[in-house]
């Protein structure tokens, strides 16, 4: 790891990459980035580069895993060996197994699970380059991939992190802020329903700081939600233009 | 979900809506907690926690090893959890699944982020040799809320841990007779709440866990600050419910800390 920076916020109140505390990193989203998948999305958030693909609804293998009244949602979050500074072994780490679980539990409330009994949907997330808050960007992309696959959903799930660095509450933590900062709170939110589907925290926060951090993250989710809708719309608008 | 629980689902939810629970507790009550320490002589620290019928054991072993390259002056903490097959018909032998990994990581986060262990005191030779603290959580009987029981067991075992006294001679650790206790600065307490039909209940037991929409675990340190948090389950929380849960967790953690004298 490179040297730890002395200060994460400068005298003008700006962060290492020049952002204001409540500013998101630049985000680029593409829906339908992969042709083989039933639905897919690609997101760049700062230096994060993440692909999500959805396969299904399809037959469940092994068969005994199938549920009679609802579908089975499976999720795999995986980081490419070259996605981080020091090569990461491609074998799934304990962190990746936990994240696969929380990402699944973050998108599941959005899906009408009972519409496809005895089937399975696979969500695959590949982190090609990681720069902090990858679980949030993964959820943002995964929910778009599900929508792109035509899975009936209650809402899109937008996710964003917030945290505390140098005694300031900031939005959308990048890698250094996550590692050196004093708290990290990833949040996934369904803006239309106003509910939280992922919430984790590590670090130390007072209850007041925690409330402020969660509320800031929710504001970030709302901004990302607008970008998600825009990205979905632009895929289908471009299809229309080809037809004409 | 088992058939029996599916039949009881409505009954459990209706009772909770009236502020009652199937096992007679109030919505904010923990089950009876029993803590026994020092039960495994060969471990450096050990404890058994009974939370109602949920039974969890934790053992601490200390070895020497290399520090992580980004923290050369700090000892290493490793938390692992085993859902052993004898504890529940739903546990199967084999490598740890996502549930045991999540359990271990939530407990780990509480101890790590609260800075309960003074890891700098566990450094023997910067960048070369440090003490590695292994906390192994062993679930012996699963009747719900494994996270809170495991966090209590882990903390009880750490409080019970005896470090051997040692001398460093040319970077080699030489063990001397006698023991000291492990340098513990904080006592993180995990409080789990389940959401059942928009009601929050503390310390869900197995049947409540099987029908809950979602759960939230909040780990609170001695000063009432939040040091770890994890939402679980396939449901959701409103922001208001989250902040309410945090408030309840702080009160319950305080109550548990007083009761256990930590």
């Amino acid at each position: 790891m490179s040297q730890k920076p002395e200060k994460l916020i400068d005298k003008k109140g700006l962060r290492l990459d020049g952002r204001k505390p409540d500013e998101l990193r630049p985000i680029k989203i593409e829906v339908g980035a992969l042709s083989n998948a039933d639905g897919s999305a690609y997101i760049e958030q700062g230096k994060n580069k993440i692909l999500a693909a959805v396969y299904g609804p399809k037959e469940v293998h092994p068969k005994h895993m199938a549920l009679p009244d609802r579908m089975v949602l499976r999720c795999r979050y995986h980081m490419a060996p070259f996605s981080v500074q020091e090569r990461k072994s491609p074998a799934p780490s304990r962190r990746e197994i936990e994240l696969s679980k929380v990402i699944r539990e973050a998108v599941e409330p959005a899906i009408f699970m009972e519409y496809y009994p005895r089937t399975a949907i696979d969500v695959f997330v590949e982190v090609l380059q990681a720069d902090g808050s990858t679980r949030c960007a993964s959820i943002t992309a995964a929910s778009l991939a599900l929508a792109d696959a035509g899975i009936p959903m209650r809402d899109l799930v937008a996710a964003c992190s917030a945290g505390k660095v140098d005694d300031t509450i900031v939005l959308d933590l990048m890698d250094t802020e996550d590692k050196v900062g004093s708290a990290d709170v990833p949040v996934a939110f369904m803006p239309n329903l106003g509910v939280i589907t992922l919430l984790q925290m590590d670090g130390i926060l007072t209850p007041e700081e925690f409330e402020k951090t969660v509320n800031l993250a929710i504001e970030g989710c709302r901004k990302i939600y607008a970008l998600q809708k825009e990205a979905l719309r632009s895929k289908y608008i471009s299809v229309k233009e080809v037809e004409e | 979900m088992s058939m029996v629980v599916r039949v009881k689902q409505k009954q459990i939810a209706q009772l909770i809506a009236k502020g009652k629970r199937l096992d007679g507790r109030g919505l904010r009550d923990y089950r009876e907690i029993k803590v026994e320490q020092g039960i495994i002589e060969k471990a450096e620290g050990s404890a058994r926690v009974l939370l109602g019928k949920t039974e969890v054991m934790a053992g601490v072993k200390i070895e020497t090893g290399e520090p992580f390259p980004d923290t050369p002056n700090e000892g290493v903490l490793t938390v692992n959890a085993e859902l052993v097959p004898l504890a529940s018909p739903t546990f199967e032998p084999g490598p740890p699944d996502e549930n045991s990994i999540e359990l271990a990581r939530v407990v780990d986060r509480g101890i790590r982020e609260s800075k309960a262990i003074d890891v700098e005191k566990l450094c023997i030779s910067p960048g070369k040799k440090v003490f590695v603290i292994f906390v192994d959580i062993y679930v012996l009987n699963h009747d719900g809320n494994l996270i809170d029981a495991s966090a209590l067991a882990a903390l009880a075992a750490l409080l019970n841990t005896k470090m051997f006294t040692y001398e460093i001679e040319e970077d080699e650790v030489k063990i001397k007779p006698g023991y000291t206790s492990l340098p513990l600065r904080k006592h993180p307490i995990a409080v789990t709440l389940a959401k059942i039909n928009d009601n929050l209940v503390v310390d869900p037991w197995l049947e409540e866990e099987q029908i809950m929409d979602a759960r939230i675990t909040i780990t609170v340190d001695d000063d009432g600050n939040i040091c770890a948090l994890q939402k679980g389950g396939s449901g959701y929380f409103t922001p208001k419910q989250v902040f309410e849960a945090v408030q309840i967790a702080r009160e319950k953690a305080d109550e548990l800390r007083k009761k256990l004298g930590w």
Side-chain angles (χ1 to χ4, degrees):
Chain A
M1 203 180 127
S2 52
Q3 281 287 301
K4 281 184 187 175
E6 282 281 305
K7 269 188 162 318
L8 292 165
I9 298 202
D10 69 12
K11 281 176 197 145
K12 288 183 206 153
L14 296 178
R15 292 150 76 178
L16 291 174
D17 55 357
R19 278 186 291 158
K20 291 191 225 78
D22 62 348
E23 199 177 329
L24 289 170
R25 288 175 285 183
I27 295 176
K28 201 185 103 188
I29 304 176
E30 187 193 341
V31 175
L34 298 168
S35 64
N36 271 347
D38 295 312
S40 60
Y42 172 70
I43 184 167
E44 282 185 16
Q45 184 164 359
K47 284 183 196 144
N48 283 327
K49 297 181 200 291
I50 297 168
L51 265 174
V54 168
Y55 284 85
K58 61 183 189 183
E59 226 177 289
V60 191
H61 289 289
K63 278 213 160 101
H64 66 87
M65 299 272 290
L67 298 173
D69 57 342
R70 62 204 309 258
M71 68 153 128
V72 177
L73 181 66
R74 293 184 293 213
C75 180
R76 183 179 113 122
Y77 165 97
H78 186 248
M79 288 173 93
F82 47 77
S83 62
V84 279
Q85 205 67 44
E86 297 214 353
R87 180 177 183 271
K88 192 215 142 277
S89 156
S93 64
R94 290 164 68 86
R95 176 180 170 274
E96 286 170 297
I97 293 170
E98 188 206 338
L99 290 199
S100 299
K101 181 176 188 285
V102 297
I103 291 171
R104 186 188 75 226
E105 291 171 343
V107 293
E108 196 178 321
I111 303 171
F112 289 96
M113 301 288 284
E114 63 282 9
Y115 280 21
Y116 301 102
R118 294 186 201 90
T119 66
I121 291 182
D122 280 322
V123 178
F124 298 115
V125 176
E126 286 293 333
V127 178
L128 306 176
Q129 182 164 279
D131 190 38
S133 307
T134 55
R135 75 194 69 183
C136 294
S138 299
I139 291 165
T140 302
S143 88
L144 277 173
L146 284 161
D148 185 40
I151 311 296
M153 289 162 82
R154 295 178 174 87
D155 199 357
L156 284 170
V157 186
C160 188
S161 68
K164 185 177 154 190
V165 296
D166 290 359
D167 293 319
T168 309
I169 307 292
V170 299
L171 185 66
D172 188 14
L173 278 77
M174 55 179 181
D175 197 38
T176 325
E177 291 175 327
D178 181 11
K179 289 210 172 84
V180 188
S182 43
D184 171 24
V185 182
V187 175
F189 190 64
M190 290 198 276
N192 250 346
L193 302 172
V195 297
I196 293 170
T197 64
L198 169 124
L199 183 62
Q200 294 182 289
M201 188 196 116
D202 46 42
I204 293 187
L205 290 178
T206 65
E208 296 75 27
E209 286 171 335
F210 172 73
E211 202 163 324
K212 210 177 148 191
T213 310
V214 171
N215 286 329
L216 181 64
I218 289 174
E219 281 316 303
C221 291
R222 288 188 203 279
K223 288 179 196 160
I224 290 171
Y225 186 61
L227 299 172
Q228 281 179 306
K229 286 200 287 189
E230 181 58 39
L232 254 187
R233 217 175 274 133
S234 65
K235 179 189 170 184
Y236 292 98
I237 287 170
S238 64
V239 170
K240 201 176 154 198
E241 277 167 2
V242 173
E243 279 172 4
E244 280 170 2
Chain B
M1 197 191 295
S2 78
M3 212 54 220
V4 179
V5 173
R6 199 175 289 217
V7 172
K8 282 188 186 168
Q9 182 169 17
K10 215 172 156 190
Q11 192 193 1
I12 295 173
Q14 280 173 347
L15 266 178
I16 287 174
K18 283 189 239 161
K20 291 178 191 162
R21 290 162 90 170
L22 212 51
D23 57 2
R25 279 186 288 160
L27 301 189
R28 307 277 185 268
D29 294 343
Y30 263 92
R31 289 169 286 178
E32 194 190 344
I33 299 173
K34 278 185 208 151
V35 180
E36 238 180 298
Q37 285 167 298
I39 47 170
I40 304 290
E41 289 86 353
K42 294 207 172 172
E44 274 80 50
S46 59
R48 171 164 51 212
V49 167
L50 277 158
L51 184 55
K53 284 185 201 153
T54 290
E55 185 173 353
V56 177
M57 200 185 261
V60 177
K61 295 297 289 177
I62 301 177
E63 289 177 3
T64 55
E66 272 181 42
F68 287 112
D70 51 345
T71 52
N73 300 316
E74 293 177 6
V76 176
L77 168 73
T78 306
V79 180
N80 182 52
E82 294 281 336
L83 304 180
V84 280
L86 59 77
S88 161
T90 59
F91 294 169
E92 282 176 32
D97 66 352
E98 57 173 31
N99 295 313
S100 67
I101 289 174
E102 186 189 31
L103 172 63
R105 286 178 60 87
V106 172
V107 174
D108 178 288
R109 225 173 280 158
I111 300 169
R112 189 180 304 277
E113 300 297 335
S114 65
K115 303 193 165 60
I117 299 173
D118 194 347
V119 279
E120 282 175 19
K121 288 201 178 138
L122 301 175
C123 179
I124 301 164
S125 166
K128 284 187 197 146
K129 210 166 209 178
V130 295
F131 283 111
V132 185
I133 312 253
F134 290 94
V135 179
D136 281 284
I137 293 161
Y138 231 57
V139 175
L140 299 179
N141 198 52
H142 176 25
D143 195 36
N145 199 5
L146 293 179
I147 298 182
D148 293 4
S150 302
L152 283 175
L155 182 58
L158 285 169
L159 284 167
N160 174 250
T161 298
K162 289 183 175 68
M163 286 275 289
F164 31 79
T165 44
Y166 64 94
E167 234 168 33
I168 300 160
E169 276 174 25
E170 291 154 23
D171 283 357
E172 283 299 309
V173 183
K174 261 190 98 179
I175 297 177
K176 294 200 303 183
Y179 294 97
T180 58
S181 58
L182 188 73
L184 268 196
R185 297 182 290 198
K186 290 276 166 68
H187 305 83
I189 304 266
V191 177
T192 298
L193 297 100
K195 193 189 91 171
I196 297 170
N197 286 6
D198 280 323
N199 291 296
L200 295 172
V201 299
V202 171
D203 180 30
W205 64 299
L206 191 61
E207 288 188 359
E208 290 170 339
E209 261 183 9
Q210 287 171 336
I211 65 147
M212 70 185 174
D213 307 313
R215 65 166 156 77
I216 187 164
T217 302
I218 298 139
T219 309
V220 185
D221 72 9
D222 306 46
D223 309 318
N225 293 326
I226 309 159
C227 53
L229 189 149
Q230 178 97 340
K231 174 247 168 192
S234 49
Y236 53 75
F237 287 93
T238 62
K240 203 174 146 237
Q241 285 166 341
V242 169
F243 302 138
E244 191 191 338
V246 166
Q247 206 43 51
I248 297 168
R250 293 179 70 217
E251 287 161 19
K252 293 319 278 185
D254 196 43
E255 196 182 302
L256 288 185
R257 199 167 279 126
K258 276 185 190 132
K259 193 186 277 177
L260 297 166
W262 291 345

